[in-house]
Amino acid sequence: MATHPLTRTAGRTIVQKASLAVGAVFLLVGVLGFVPGITTDFGEMGFAGHHSEAMLLGLFQVSALHNIVHLLFGAAGLFLARSASGSKGFLLYGGITYLVLFIYGLVVPQDSAGNFVPLNSFDNILHLLLGVGMVALSVILTRGRNSVRP
């Protein structure tokens, strides 16, 4: 017997579980951004701006602001996972936000004051993948439903 993607399993729909998972990953990334060793050049981390030299996993340029945004985004994912409609909204609009960040990262020079988060080439690629993945999850996991019930 086939089950619908929104079929409740253990009290949560699959889209809620996806929102919980994505939110938890963002929380983890936000915390890891403040851990010396996992974040290289930790002592060079700035609050904001492209001058922050800290690199999460040695690849992704981060600042305190960047890490705080990850923490807030993760908390939003966990909070909105309380309902299927909130989960779908988090994944859809969060994904769109990451696609906008991807475009922003392509347009704004990395050494300009406009790169206040900051973003580098690895961040840009990750934002594209996150944006596409989150939008896809919101669509695929709620496919066949005119509206998502709470």
Side-chain angles (χ1 to χ4, degrees):
M1 175 167 109
T3 59
H4 191 277
L6 289 178
T7 301
R8 290 194 178 272
T9 306
R12 290 199 173 91
T13 64
I14 194 165
V15 73
Q16 286 175 285
K17 290 178 182 181
S19 180
L20 280 171
V22 171
V25 168
F26 274 106
L27 278 176
L28 178 63
V29 167
V31 169
L32 292 177
F34 288 114
V35 176
I38 293 174
T39 299
T40 59
D41 298 320
F42 185 81
E44 302 300 315
M45 181 184 297
F47 177 75
H50 67 279
H51 297 293
S52 180
E53 297 295 323
M55 303 288 276
L56 179 62
L57 303 174
L59 297 173
F60 306 100
Q61 188 176 13
V62 293
S63 65
L65 176 63
H66 202 151
N67 293 331
I68 291 167
V69 168
H70 287 144
L71 291 169
L72 292 172
F73 205 76
L78 296 182
F79 178 78
L80 291 169
R82 296 181 327 163
S83 72
S85 60
S87 298
K88 179 180 180 175
F90 169 72
L91 293 169
L92 178 63
Y93 297 113
I96 291 169
T97 299
Y98 272 93
L99 291 172
V100 169
L101 273 174
F102 166 69
I103 294 167
Y104 183 81
L106 294 178
V107 173
V108 174
Q110 290 181 8
D111 61 350
S112 76
N115 187 15
F116 63 94
V117 174
L119 306 172
N120 66 12
S121 297
F122 288 108
D123 289 305
N124 291 338
I125 293 166
L126 184 58
H127 291 160
L128 173 62
L129 296 174
L130 282 169
V132 169
M134 289 174 72
V135 169
L137 283 172
S138 75
V139 172
I140 292 167
L141 298 180
T142 59
R143 176 181 58 219
R145 303 288 275 198
N146 290 337
S147 64
V148 177
R149 286 182 261 152

Coordinates of all heavy atoms in Angstrom, one line a residue, residues 33 41 51 81 119 138:
G33 N 30.3 27.1 13.7 CA 30.9 28.4 13.3 C 31.6 29.1 14.4 O 32.5 30.0 14.2
D41 N 41.2 29.9 11.5 CA 41.4 31.4 11.7 C 40.4 32.0 12.6 O 39.9 33.1 12.3 CB 41.6 32.1 10.4 CG 42.7 31.6 9.5 OD1 43.8 31.3 10.1 OD2 42.6 31.4 8.3
H51 N 36.0 41.3 5.8 CA 37.3 41.3 6.4 C 37.4 40.1 7.3 O 38.5 39.8 7.8 CB 37.6 42.6 7.1 CG 37.7 43.7 6.1 ND1 38.7 43.8 5.2 CD2 36.9 44.8 6.0 CE1 38.5 44.9 4.5 NE2 37.4 45.6 5.0
A81 N 8.3 23.6 12.1 CA 8.1 22.2 11.9 C 6.9 21.7 12.7 O 6.5 20.6 12.6 CB 9.3 21.4 12.2
L119 N 30.4 36.3 2.2 CA 30.2 35.1 1.3 C 31.4 35.0 0.4 O 32.0 35.9 -0.1 CB 29.0 35.4 0.4 CG 27.6 35.7 1.0 CD1 26.6 36.1 0.0 CD2 27.1 34.6 1.9
S138 N 10.1 21.2 -0.5 CA 8.8 21.7 -0.2 C 7.7 21.3 -1.3 O 6.6 21.1 -1.0 CB 8.8 23.3 -0.2 OG 9.0 23.8 -1.4

